Structures are given as structure tokens and as C-alpha cells.
Amino acid sequence: MAFIKFLLLMTLCLEFSNSSNILLAPFDTGYNSRIRNVLRIGRMLLQAGHDVTVIVSDRIENESLFKQAEGSNLESEFKVLKYKTPAFDPDTAQSSVNQEWLDSMIYKPYATLLHIMRQPFEDSLTFALEDQDVWNEIAASKFDLIFADEGVFFPRMVSAYFDIPLIVYCNWGPMSLDANFSPKFNLAFVHAFFPAMFTDEMTFTERIMNVVEYLRVKWIWYNMYNRFISICRKHGYGDACYNIRDAYKTISLFMMNRNDAIHYPAPYMPHVISIEGFFLMSEIEPLNTEYSNIMNKAGEHGIIVASFGSMQRRLDPKTSKKFAIAFAAMPQTVIWSYEGPLPKGLGNNTIVKKWYPQESLLAHPSTKLFVTHCGASALFQALHYATPIVGVPFFWDQPFNCHKLTHKVKSGKTVLLTEMTSEKLKNTMQEVISDKRYKDNANKAADIYHSQPIDPKKKLMYWIEYVIKHKGAHHLRSDAENNLNFFQYYLLDIITLAVCSLVMFGGIVTVVIKYLIQYIVCRLNNKIKKD
């Protein structure tokens, strides 16, 4: 009898379960914060009772940084689909495991960065499409939702081919790889990469530069999309391949890391969701004995936390030496996340670690400064923990993020690598630590950030489950925004009609006036002749 009751209970639980089958597609060109944050979303979905399948290359789990950050085995948490990739040499690969390739991107214009990334984008798409076992598994799995990083293109095709709702995630914030993919901005509003130091109040010259760069980037993406679609169609997926380019017309939601405290106000459609800082810890983990002792020994001077993200953990000797000498000149203890050869000039006050509990360190009251590349995660950590920063950006979204912290929030200063010397970096760090205005501004911004109506993690889960419940969220997307052609969107057809109408009206008036004048002159002439 007890066994029968147990079976009935299990049947009821299954009947009312909200468990869904979700395909998670991180951006796999070597381990970085983009992968880490998408996997965090996957773990949140697991905790909510959903079945999550992660699709990655067969090489990602072999990377040392992946093992340090995520553990040695994804299969212990997720169901994993691995598409096959050819053997590659880490020293020459176009991947984040190749430091020389990463360094080639430093301070390059956005259009140049797209040319550098074109082959990795294409390879990811090609390798995934060529693995038929993976596609057979996708077809058999009957997924309820695809959650994909915007830098992964095959999920867009999968969404269209199998009619699965798609959520696209942007790790960077209010921008997308393809200019105006989503969210769509009017050209009067600056895109994040055109260039980073532009604000939402541009001069006439800046507006010209903004439009020229926008058109340049759109042309690059036009050619890239044509190439991607051609590759996809060769594998027999037909018209679904066009969704690689047109996914902005079909996605259910576009999720991005954005918050009013740091980013400029802008109008967004209902399907564009801000999930600001969802990856931050809900509860800070206490420091272990080693780091607690470091904090105690630092005394009243406190510590400086230095990190340049997952992709700049190995710097060239000249650059790393500049940092080492500047850190050595500070009275604070410096904890530096770095795994390259120990640089020359390293001081006794500098502790070098391959990996450390960054959030726990930033949350500690002894932390006086965060020296950072201003990646997406570092941006929100500095904001959340009200930590003054010295930003040293390298590429992609980092100059944009540093500019927002140092010019909008005014919680620190930016030092460009091209202009950086040890002396300049040291003076900048001393200024930010000694001037209380930077800390006060950081506190103000943190207060705004924390004043949210709903926790970002809960917001994220709400909207994902909203899409699952309604089998998509196309009703939130504007068809007018996406389907109006260029002339309709910018009202050029109406303006043309108005101009033509005015010209016609002006022409008619001119003819009438001319006729009247001729008539009056003729009558006057006739009258003069009679007289």
C-alpha cells in the first residue's frame, strides 16, 4: 500500500513538474568570461529543476583555465554535446589559449577586430554543422528552448529548422556584435564601439564618424553573413540558414548586462531584457586563512586587487614589468591574478596568484582599489562592491566599460596601455586611493545599482520560464521595427510624398500666379490702348 502511494505521489509530481529541456550554447573560442557566465545560467536552470544540455567543442574541457574555473568534468553537472574539431596547435590557434593571437587585438578598431574574429566564427559554425551525430542528438532531444550567446551562430539555424524558441544573450551590455542587431538604436545614438569614448551627446564631427563606422561595420557583417549562410546551405539546412542573419526578427528575447547606474538611457523594446550582474555572488564566501592573514598583515594601507580577466593572464615582458614596478612602489599589498613568468621588478608587497576569490576580495573593507581591464564581469563587480578603479583596457568592450566607470560614474581613472609608464600608473593609483571623491562616487553608483525592483537572478529565471511557458515571446517583439524597409522606417516615403506634394502645389500656385499676372497685364495693356 505504501509503495502504491509513493507511485501516485511521484506521478503527481511529474504531472505538475515545470521541468523543461533546454539547449545551452556558450561562445566557444577558448575559455573566457562569456562561457563562464552562460554556464552560470545553466546551473541556475538546473537548480530550478530544468534539464540542461550544453553544446561545446571537444577541446574546451582540456584547457587549463577551464579546469581551474569550472572543474574537470562538465558531464558531472550537465548533459554535454561535443562537436568534433580537428587537432590544433595552441601556439598558433585562433583561440584564447594563444596569447600572441589575443595580443594582436589590443587597441584595434572594432572593424579590424571583426576581421580577426571572422575565421573563429566560421570555424565554430562549420565544425558544429559537420558533426552529424550532434545534429541527430538535437533532433531527437525535442528541446523546449535554446539559450545561446550571440557570438554562436548555429543555434540561430537550429531554432529556425526545428522551430524552437531562442533567447540570445549578450555578455557585453547594450550592444551586439553586429551593429544594431539588437537592440536597435537610431544612428543618432552612439553604438558602444564607435568609438568607446563617445557619449550620448556627440558633436557634429563625432556624429559623422559614428555613422561612417556604423556603415563600415554593417558592410563587414553583410559579407560575413553571406559566407555563413552559404556554409549552412551547403550542409542542406535550406531556408533555416537565413535565420543566422535574420534572427533579430525571430528571437524571443535579447538579454544583456545593462544597468542605469552605468549605461546611458535609451529606448528598448519589451523583448530586450536587462539582467545586470546576475553572475555576482548572492552571498560572499568568507576568505580562507591564507587571504585573511594577507588582509591582517596589510594593516591600515589595505590591499589592491589587480586582474586583467581570463584572456590577459599572460602579458609580454615589457608590459608586465611596467605593472610590477608600479605595484612595488605602492604602500598597499597587491594581489595580482597572473600566470605568466614572474616579471622583473616585482616587489615584496605583490602576491601573484593564478586564481583567487576575486569577489570576496573586492567585498572586503580592506580593499582600496581595483586595477582592472574593465571586462563585463569586472565592470559589475566594481559597481556592486563600490570599489574605486584604475582601468587599463585592452580590447573589445573594455575601453567602453572603462570609459563609463571613469566618465559617467567617475569612480576611477583610465590609463591607456599605449601611454602607460610605471610612474604614470603609480601616480594614478595613488590619486584614486587618496581622493575620497572616487570612493564617494562609487558608493553613489552602487546605491543606484542596488535599488532594483527585482533581483537580477530572479528576473533572469522569470523571463526564461516566461518564454518556455508561452512557447516563445514573439508578442514582445516589434514587427514594425523589424519588417519595415529602410524607406518606411525612416519615413522617407512619407517625406517624399510631402515634398512632391509641396512641389506640385508650389508649381500649381506658380502657374496660377503667372496666369493672373499675365491676365492683369494684358487687361491693363488693352485699357491703355483704348485710352
Side-chain angles (χ1 to χ4, degrees):
M1 187 67 180
F3 181 70
I4 294 174
K5 288 182 178 179
F6 175 76
L7 287 178
L8 289 171
L9 180 61
M10 290 301 295
T11 302
L12 287 171
C13 287
L14 290 172
E15 182 179 351
F16 292 103
S17 173
N18 291 321
S19 176
S20 299
N21 196 14
I22 300 172
L23 179 64
L24 200 70
F27 181 52
D28 184 356
T29 55
Y31 186 75
N32 52 63
S33 63
R34 298 179 74 109
I35 292 183
R36 189 177 191 189
N37 287 340
V38 171
L39 292 179
R40 282 170 169 164
I41 292 171
R43 294 185 180 99
M44 292 166 60
L45 291 168
L46 287 176
Q47 291 175 359
H50 299 288
D51 298 320
V52 180
T53 299
V54 178
I55 182 167
V56 289
S57 70
D58 59 4
R59 64 175 64 156
I60 186 66
E61 287 186 285
N62 296 323
E63 294 186 14
S64 59
L65 185 57
F66 180 92
K67 293 177 181 178
Q68 287 180 15
E70 305 294 342
S72 58
N73 190 4
L74 268 184
E75 284 86 348
S76 63
E77 297 180 275
F78 304 100
K79 181 180 179 181
V80 180
L81 291 179
K82 296 179 182 178
Y83 55 87
K84 300 180 184 67
T85 59
F88 78 112
D89 182 355
D91 294 328
T92 59
Q94 291 181 317
S95 167
S96 62
V97 297
N98 181 358
Q99 191 63 45
E100 185 176 344
W101 180 70
L102 290 175
D103 291 344
S104 71
M105 301 186 200
I106 294 176
Y107 282 6
K108 294 294 192 299
Y110 183 60
T112 304
L113 292 173
L114 288 179
H115 284 298
I116 294 174
M117 283 298 300
R118 178 173 185 159
Q119 194 60 49
F121 286 146
E122 185 175 319
D123 288 345
S124 173
L125 176 65
T126 303
F127 297 154
L129 292 175
E130 288 177 345
D131 195 328
Q132 194 58 48
D133 292 337
V134 166
W135 296 106
N136 292 338
E137 185 70 25
I138 291 174
S141 296
K142 300 187 183 303
F143 290 107
D144 300 300
L145 176 72
I146 300 173
F147 190 101
D149 188 292
E150 66 153 345
V152 194
F153 297 98
F154 62 83
R156 304 182 186 185
M157 182 276 294
V158 175
S159 170
Y161 192 79
F162 294 103
D163 192 23
I164 306 171
L166 172 65
I167 294 176
V168 170
Y169 165 70
C170 179
N171 196 58
W172 285 336
M175 62 196 83
S176 51
L177 279 168
D178 176 6
N180 263 8
F181 170 79
S182 187
K184 284 189 172 295
F185 293 123
N186 186 287
L187 281 181
F189 187 85
V190 63
H191 186 280
F193 297 124
F194 302 165
M197 68 284 302
F198 283 4
T199 70
D200 58 348
E201 296 180 358
M202 291 181 284
T203 64
F204 180 72
T205 302
E206 289 173 341
R207 288 165 56 212
I208 292 175
M209 293 172 63
N210 185 55
V211 172
V212 170
E213 186 67 10
Y214 168 83
L215 295 174
R216 183 184 176 196
V217 170
K218 291 301 289 184
W219 176 249
I220 293 171
W221 274 107
Y222 173 79
N223 292 318
M224 288 173 65
Y225 281 140
N226 286 342
R227 175 62 178 162
F228 297 162
I229 292 169
S230 175
I231 293 171
C232 178
R233 289 181 66 85
K234 284 181 181 179
H235 287 81
Y237 290 99
D239 290 344
C241 297
Y242 290 108
N243 203 50
I244 293 175
R245 179 192 60 212
D246 298 333
Y248 67 91
K249 298 180 181 180
T250 62
I251 58 174
S252 291
L253 297 178
F254 183 84
M255 291 185 162
M256 60 183 180
N257 290 316
R258 183 200 168 277
N259 186 266
D260 293 328
I262 191 74
H263 296 111
Y264 295 123
Y268 297 106
M269 288 295 176
H271 76 293
V272 178
I273 309 298
S274 297
I275 49 171
E276 52 272 88
F278 71 90
F279 43 77
L280 297 170
M281 291 182 178
S282 299
E283 295 183 6
I284 295 299
E285 297 176 357
L287 295 172
N288 60 27
T289 303
E290 177 188 7
Y291 288 103
S292 295
N293 290 337
I294 292 172
M295 293 295 184
N296 292 332
K297 290 180 182 178
E300 63 180 10
H301 290 298
I303 71 162
I304 295 172
V305 176
S307 172
F308 305 113
S310 58
M311 293 192 289
Q312 294 296 332
R313 302 175 60 77
R314 302 175 300 278
L315 303 172
D316 66 86
K318 184 178 179 181
T319 302
S320 60
K321 182 180 178 181
K322 290 180 183 179
F323 282 111
I325 293 174
F327 292 154
M330 299 297 291
Q332 288 78 22
T333 298
V334 181
I335 306 178
W336 184 7
S337 178
Y338 187 70
E339 66 177 27
L342 291 181
K344 294 180 180 180
L346 199 67
N348 294 328
N349 68 327
T350 306
I351 301 168
V352 176
K353 292 286 186 179
K354 288 186 177 180
W355 198 259
Y356 57 45
Q358 185 163 300
E359 284 195 62
S360 297
L361 292 174
L362 292 175
H364 199 281
S366 293
T367 299
K368 305 298 183 183
L369 181 69
F370 186 21
V371 180
T372 173
H373 64 310
C374 300
S377 297
L379 170 75
F380 277 94
Q381 288 170 2
L383 185 64
H384 178 66
Y385 298 111
T387 310
I389 67 109
V390 169
V392 187
F394 290 80
F395 45 52
W396 291 104
D397 60 322
Q398 297 165 16
F400 171 80
N401 294 335
C402 281
H403 187 267
K404 298 304 161 283
L405 283 171
T406 58
H407 289 77
K408 188 171 190 292
V409 175
K410 298 181 180 178
S411 60
K413 299 195 74 174
T414 296
V415 178
L416 300 180
L417 275 177
T418 52
E419 304 170 356
M420 188 183 78
T421 63
S422 295
E423 184 69 16
K424 183 172 184 178
L425 179 60
K426 181 200 73 171
N427 292 339
T428 304
M429 290 190 292
Q430 288 176 341
E431 178 186 345
V432 174
I433 292 174
S434 61
D435 192 334
K436 292 182 179 180
R437 289 179 297 178
Y438 294 106
K439 179 61 175 177
D440 290 341
N441 291 334
N443 286 332
K444 292 176 184 177
D447 188 46
I448 295 172
Y449 170 73
H450 294 144
S451 298
Q452 301 186 44
I454 182 172
D455 179 83
K457 291 182 176 64
K458 293 180 180 178
K459 184 198 290 188
L460 172 69
M461 291 306 303
Y462 169 83
W463 281 111
I464 291 176
E465 293 180 341
Y466 181 96
V467 172
I468 295 171
K469 176 181 178 182
H470 297 289
K471 297 179 172 33
H474 297 168
H475 54 283
L476 298 179
R477 195 180 57 245
S478 170
D479 289 332
E481 178 188 47
N482 294 321
N483 295 327
L484 292 176
N485 61 40
F486 179 84
F487 291 94
Q488 293 170 327
Y489 188 81
Y490 291 102
L491 302 181
L492 297 181
D493 52 349
I494 296 176
I495 293 172
T496 301
L497 175 63
V499 170
C500 290
S501 299
L502 288 172
V503 170
M504 289 178 63
F505 179 75
I508 293 170
V509 171
T510 301
V511 170
V512 170
I513 292 174
K514 183 178 179 181
Y515 176 79
L516 288 174
I517 292 173
Q518 289 176 343
Y519 176 78
I520 293 170
V521 170
C522 183
R523 290 292 301 270
L524 288 173
N525 288 338
N526 290 337
K527 185 177 180 181
I528 291 171
K529 288 178 180 178
K530 288 179 180 181
D531 293 342

